[in-house]
Amino acid sequence: MSIIILSAVLSIHYCGFFLSKPSVFSGMSADRSARRALSRSKNTYLSRQWPVSVRDEQNNSFELILHPILDDVSLSVPRFFLSNEEDGSMETLGKTCLTKALTQMIGRTTIDGSSDFSVRTIYIGIPSLNDNWHCRHTLENIFRRAKYPERIRVGVVDQFNFDKTQSCDVPLQSCSKEPSQALCQYRPQIDVYEMESDLAIGPTFARHLVDRLYRGEYYVLRIDSHTSFTKHWDVDIIEQLEGTGNEMAILTTFLDETKDNLNEKTGFSEKESRKVLCNAVYEGSGYDRFLRYPSIEQPDELPAITEMPQLQPYFASQFSFARGHFVLTVPHDPNVPLISTEDEEISIAIRAFTHGYDFYTPQRHVCFDNSSEHKKGEIPIEKKVKSNINAKIMKSSLERLYGILGMTGSELVIEDNMFGIGFVRTVKQFHNAYGIHPGERVTEKNLCNYVSNGKMHKQFHNEQMKEDGMGINYDSIYFRFSELQNNHENGR
């Protein structure tokens, strides 16, 4: 695929203040294209009675794609919710700037015309790799602990050995013996895409397939296959998100273990502190150092902001909750095989930021990581793939990923920008606000002092929120974090 280098002027694009006539024209064209794609999708999918399922779709709702590594393997996958009018290929909202009007076109309810929070639908995307036991228990937990399970739809990408294990959609017991199981009672609301685990090539490709199962739900929740929920989690999580007053808010954090934190009898959380994602460092040696923010290095504290979720700089793949347009605007790039979860997270963090999204750590826990409760199945296959594939593939993936982010010396974007950076903010604004120096490959050390105590939330969220609630206005934030930190420490 060819690559183009964007000029410094075009990096601001038509959402900023410095617009050229071609940028304005392309922006208007992209907006019209997005509206047409949304209208087509509403006619195709949202006209159907809830719940929807990819099982009910015709053959033309699937397409063949090449495996990112194995050239002789093609996969039949569901078409993306938005598709190109001419050839039916994948389309995203990433080519335009989201407006309030566009966001209002996204999100179905279980009752047409109702504005009640209880009928707003939730899509839960789950990638699973040889994790049959946890995956099935997660599905049961999702529906059993929800207050309104009828508004939930789950999409699972299940990567497992077809000859040795069962799929995630096989109930723990037969439905004839125990019909109240979630996999029996709520079967129409569960879609499982099955794939041989020897085709697994890392988290990003699996999450890309998860994105393809989205069908216009009001909210989207991305989790892992080993997750336990609190009682009435669905009501709580929506209340928290809407409490930000920010259409572009994403609730995200690293999850704590279920043990000692979740009372399984009552379903209530017994942990009040939560992690704030703010401590990033460059890991590695020499030039091959990459930006990371390990879970263990993040402060775990009581909320400094108590009236709503608290603003933070970074994103976690393990748990994220947002409006449905998030998956349509920032889909996972399938063309970066074998990268780590840490690389995936920094990619989504920066891409989402440039599209205008803001990250918040939740006020309250709504779920926990239960991976330690049961031994996972053998997972030798992905490792075998890695050992048999030339290291150039991983290097190429990292070059693509960090090139798109403009963190390799020049800013590279795939020619249609489907998996590229956005037009609302620049990567440089992300670096400046959060004390990142990509040229020197170092980060400011005191950012967490500013973030975890709520200072950043008050100065960014409270003072710079756009009037229409479409995110924080970083065009009004002119300082680098190092300057801000000096002012903060001097009491200014």
Side-chain angles (χ1 to χ4, degrees):
M1 180 175 289
S2 60
I3 296 175
I4 60 173
I5 300 178
L6 297 184
S7 68
V9 174
L10 286 183
S11 68
I12 297 180
H13 298 277
Y14 56 88
C15 285
F17 296 107
F18 305 100
L19 301 177
S20 63
K21 289 183 180 180
S23 297
V24 174
F25 176 80
S26 63
M28 292 180 178
S29 175
D31 183 77
R32 287 195 296 268
S33 177
R35 288 176 180 273
R36 288 196 298 268
L38 284 169
S39 296
R40 287 196 305 274
S41 295
K42 289 175 72 173
N43 291 333
T44 302
Y45 300 111
L46 302 190
S47 60
R48 290 154 45 193
Q49 186 176 356
W50 178 264
V52 298
S53 171
V54 296
R55 295 187 301 274
D56 302 329
E57 296 174 6
Q58 302 299 319
N59 290 335
N60 61 2
S61 293
F62 284 72
E63 63 178 322
L64 285 177
I65 64 170
L66 286 177
H67 188 275
I69 288 180
L70 306 173
D71 294 336
D72 59 341
V73 175
S74 295
L75 300 172
S76 177
V77 299
R79 291 190 185 277
F80 210 58
F81 180 72
L82 298 183
S83 58
N84 184 281
E85 187 173 16
E86 295 181 358
D87 60 10
S89 61
M90 178 177 173
E91 186 68 88
T92 76
L93 296 178
K95 299 178 182 180
T96 186
C97 295
L98 279 182
T99 62
K100 196 74 172 180
L102 277 177
T103 64
Q104 290 173 347
M105 296 178 67
I106 302 164
R108 70 175 301 157
T109 58
T110 57
I111 301 176
D112 291 340
S114 175
S115 59
D116 193 281
F117 281 11
S118 66
V119 300
R120 291 182 176 181
T121 56
I122 301 173
Y123 169 68
I124 304 179
I126 305 174
S128 177
L129 176 60
N130 290 329
D131 198 14
N132 171 271
W133 189 92
H134 284 111
C135 183
R136 291 188 290 178
H137 279 81
T138 295
L139 290 177
E140 290 293 326
N141 201 261
I142 285 171
F143 289 96
R144 292 288 164 248
R145 291 274 170 82
K147 184 173 183 179
Y148 301 107
E150 66 277 2
R151 48 106 161 259
I152 296 166
R153 179 174 164 268
V154 181
V156 179
V157 172
D158 195 9
Q159 305 158 102
F160 67 102
N161 187 319
F162 288 4
D163 296 327
K164 294 183 179 181
T165 57
Q166 292 180 315
S167 171
C168 181
D169 69 348
V170 177
L172 297 169
Q173 302 180 53
S174 68
C175 291
S176 60
K177 291 183 178 179
E178 190 55 61
S180 63
Q181 295 173 96
L183 280 165
C184 304
Q185 186 176 354
Y186 300 104
R187 188 68 184 89
Q189 294 161 239
I190 303 171
D191 279 324
V192 177
Y193 178 86
E194 299 177 353
M195 186 173 78
E196 284 276 7
S197 53
D198 59 358
L199 298 178
I201 49 171
T204 303
F205 184 61
R207 293 188 191 278
H208 170 79
L209 297 178
V210 166
D211 293 344
R212 284 178 170 270
L213 294 171
Y214 171 81
R215 286 298 178 261
E217 287 78 13
Y218 204 94
Y219 302 103
V220 58
L221 171 64
R222 290 165 169 166
I223 59 172
D224 287 338
S225 57
H226 39 81
T227 307
S228 293
F229 287 80
T230 59
K231 184 178 181 180
H232 296 170
W233 64 268
D234 55 324
V235 174
D236 192 1
I237 200 172
I238 291 175
E239 180 182 304
Q240 291 189 53
L241 184 73
E242 296 297 336
T244 65
N246 185 351
E247 176 70 25
M248 307 299 286
I250 300 173
L251 304 186
T252 184
T253 191
F254 294 117
L255 300 183
D256 292 289
E257 288 189 3
T258 299
K259 185 180 179 181
D260 299 327
N261 292 316
L262 176 63
N263 187 320
E264 291 289 1
K265 292 183 178 179
T266 65
F268 295 131
S269 169
E270 296 182 343
K271 190 174 192 295
E272 295 184 0
S273 63
R274 75 283 181 272
K275 291 180 179 177
V276 181
L277 311 189
C278 56
N279 186 22
V281 296
Y282 274 90
E283 294 183 345
S285 60
Y287 190 77
D288 292 328
R289 286 182 291 162
F290 298 103
L291 195 62
R292 303 278 195 274
Y293 41 95
S295 173
I296 195 172
E297 300 294 336
Q298 308 311 309
D300 190 337
E301 302 174 350
L302 292 173
I305 302 297
T306 58
E307 66 273 16
M308 69 176 69
Q310 185 172 324
L311 190 68
Q312 62 184 4
Y314 298 116
F315 170 89
S317 297
Q318 192 179 26
F319 169 85
S320 66
F321 183 71
R323 285 278 278 112
H325 50 71
F326 176 43
V327 73
L328 301 179
T329 308
V330 193
H332 286 80
D333 186 353
N335 303 306
V336 284
L338 304 182
I339 68 166
S340 67
T341 297
E342 291 80 9
D343 293 312
E344 171 201 359
E345 287 171 336
I346 196 63
S347 171
I348 295 294
I350 295 180
R351 287 176 54 211
F353 174 89
T354 61
H355 280 287
Y357 289 95
D358 301 303
F359 311 117
Y360 296 78
T361 188
Q363 288 170 277
R364 299 174 297 275
H365 294 278
V366 298
C367 58
F368 294 90
D369 176 6
N370 66 19
S371 58
S372 64
E373 293 184 6
H374 188 274
K375 183 180 179 181
K376 290 185 68 172
E378 295 293 326
I379 315 179
I381 301 174
E382 188 183 9
K383 293 181 180 179
K384 180 180 178 181
V385 170
K386 288 185 179 181
S387 66
N388 291 341
I389 295 297
N390 195 307
K392 289 183 179 180
I393 292 180
M394 293 183 68
K395 182 179 179 181
S396 176
S397 293
L398 289 172
E399 288 177 348
R400 172 187 169 90
L401 185 148
Y402 283 98
I404 287 174
L405 301 181
M407 298 176 72
T408 58
S410 61
E411 183 177 314
L412 305 177
V413 179
I414 53 178
E415 62 181 359
D416 61 6
N417 202 46
M418 188 171 295
F419 306 109
I421 62 171
F423 308 127
V424 179
R425 304 166 184 154
T426 66
V427 175
K428 185 176 181 180
Q429 286 176 311
F430 184 89
H431 294 160
N432 288 351
Y434 302 139
I436 301 168
H437 305 279
E440 298 80 7
R441 282 171 163 68
V442 296
T443 58
E444 300 286 341
K445 299 302 181 184
N446 297 314
L447 178 62
C448 281
N449 295 340
Y450 179 65
V451 176
S452 61
N453 65 13
K455 293 277 187 179
M456 187 184 82
H457 180 99
K458 293 174 182 177
Q459 292 188 357
F460 287 25
H461 175 96
N462 293 0
E463 297 178 13
Q464 304 298 338
M465 180 63 62
K466 296 178 182 178
E467 291 184 1
D468 60 0
M470 289 294 292
I472 295 170
N473 183 11
Y474 276 79
D475 289 328
S476 299
I477 300 173
Y478 301 104
F479 41 71
R480 296 183 66 90
F481 169 71
S482 55
E483 298 171 0
L484 173 64
Q485 182 64 25
N486 290 335
N487 291 340
H488 170 54
E489 290 177 344
N490 293 331
R492 288 184 235 171

